[in-house]
Amino acid sequence: MNLYQLAGMLCTAGIFTISQSVYAQEPITVAWRIKPPHQYLENGVEKGVLLERAKQVFSNAQIPHRFVEEPAKRIWSNFSGGTKNYCSFGWYRIPEREALVQFSEVFHTDPPHTLLVSPAATKQVAAHRSLKSLMSDPSLTLGIVDAVSYGPELDTMFTTTKNKVERSTTLPMIMARMVAANRASYMLIDREDWEYLKDKEESLSQTTQMDLQGMPAGLNRYIVCSKDVSAEQMRKINTALLRIYPVRK
């Protein structure tokens, strides 16, 4: 090997090392969906306890990142399409997502869902003692927000319900308005969502919140990242998360 060949090899190796270093420093895109009170925009200002928690986690992890607001359907389309350097937060762990993403330690634990019932269906829904009985009533219409999961147990119940089903790829707050307008008899809603919306949405004043027997326990939510996010980056995310949101196991 002559000196020119050696110099060429060293130059190539140097360029490869630099390119790898630059790629490693590319910011992770952290996508989030609007879901008040967890994460939302108010007069153009980003707010919400889970949005703030996620920002703390990525800042404490000292990983270059940028936050972007995107609809839930687009977020999961990006994961399915193999978008690189991509994370999101506030998602349930369900089997079909395992092949698409890596899951963090527990990011948040929900209380159980509750029912939001339309003015026209209050008496009919109240006549049922259990969620199973309610979903066996063919005269009722269940409102379901598409492109998200309600957790494995509820998702399965939705596939076997005898209710009519009104599906919409929309925000939970929009589905709540549809219930208020009697376009659906009832919906299942995150209890924390309802606590926020009932004081903000005048249109929901005639709806009724109910709890029935057989409601599944609240589930854990996670930060999820594309498969190319390195093990070291996931370690940093988890270390920061456990400092900010320690979970008893």
Side-chain angles (χ1 to χ4, degrees):
M1 180 183 298
N2 60 39
L3 290 176
Y4 290 109
Q5 289 174 316
L6 179 59
M9 290 177 63
L10 291 173
C11 181
T12 300
I15 291 171
F16 178 78
T17 302
I18 291 170
S19 66
Q20 289 290 91
S21 176
V22 168
Y23 180 79
Q25 292 304 309
E26 286 183 1
I28 286 177
T29 297
V30 185
W32 61 279
R33 59 170 172 146
I34 290 177
K35 189 179 182 295
H38 295 144
Q39 57 257 9
Y40 61 102
L41 292 169
E42 186 172 274
N43 299 320
V45 179
E46 297 179 352
K47 292 187 175 182
V49 62
L50 295 193
L51 180 56
E52 290 305 312
R53 184 179 299 164
K55 288 181 176 180
Q56 284 183 303
V57 168
F58 281 89
S59 293
N60 276 263
Q62 298 184 334
I63 295 173
H65 62 274
R66 65 185 186 96
F67 278 72
V68 297
E69 182 268 311
E70 294 178 338
K73 190 171 184 178
R74 185 185 305 165
I75 290 172
W76 286 101
S77 176
N78 286 340
F79 280 125
S80 297
T83 299
K84 304 292 185 183
N85 267 7
Y86 194 72
C87 294
S88 186
F89 61 88
W91 299 101
Y92 294 144
R93 188 167 195 156
I94 56 177
E96 52 264 43
R97 292 175 179 165
E98 296 280 356
L100 298 177
V101 297
Q102 305 178 73
F103 288 84
S104 70
E105 296 287 341
V106 175
F107 178 69
H108 181 71
T109 302
D110 285 353
H113 282 79
T114 190
L115 301 179
L116 184 63
V117 184
S118 72
T122 303
K123 290 183 179 179
Q124 196 172 350
V125 171
H128 293 274
R129 297 188 62 184
S130 70
L131 185 60
K132 183 177 180 181
S133 171
L134 181 68
M135 287 197 178
S136 298
D137 188 337
S139 67
L140 294 172
T141 300
L142 166 62
I144 298 176
V145 177
D146 258 347
V148 299
S149 171
Y150 288 72
E153 192 170 345
L154 286 175
D155 288 347
T156 298
M157 293 180 78
F158 292 164
T159 65
T160 59
T161 182
K162 297 297 189 293
N163 300 153
K164 303 179 190 74
V165 175
E166 177 73 30
R167 289 184 178 272
S168 180
T169 305
T170 187
L171 300 175
M173 70 179 77
I174 305 301
M175 180 58 75
R177 291 172 190 163
M178 292 169 66
V179 170
N182 295 311
R183 288 180 57 187
S185 307
Y186 74 100
M187 68 180 289
L188 286 103
I189 188 169
D190 286 355
R191 196 173 299 267
E192 292 166 331
D193 291 13
W194 169 242
E195 291 300 320
Y196 173 84
L197 289 174
K198 70 180 183 181
D199 297 324
K200 299 276 187 180
E201 289 278 332
E202 179 67 27
S203 65
L204 304 184
S205 61
Q206 300 303 308
T207 61
T208 304
Q209 180 258 327
M210 294 186 192
D211 290 307
L212 298 179
Q213 296 175 11
M215 191 71 73
L219 298 177
N220 293 327
R221 295 184 182 272
Y222 300 85
I223 296 171
V224 294
C225 292
S226 53
K227 294 284 190 175
D228 64 292
V229 172
S230 71
E232 177 61 15
Q233 287 174 314
M234 291 303 298
R235 186 193 65 77
K236 289 180 178 180
I237 289 169
N238 284 325
T239 299
L241 176 55
L242 289 170
R243 276 199 303 265
I244 293 163
Y245 186 69
V247 177
R248 293 180 181 177
K249 296 185 177 180

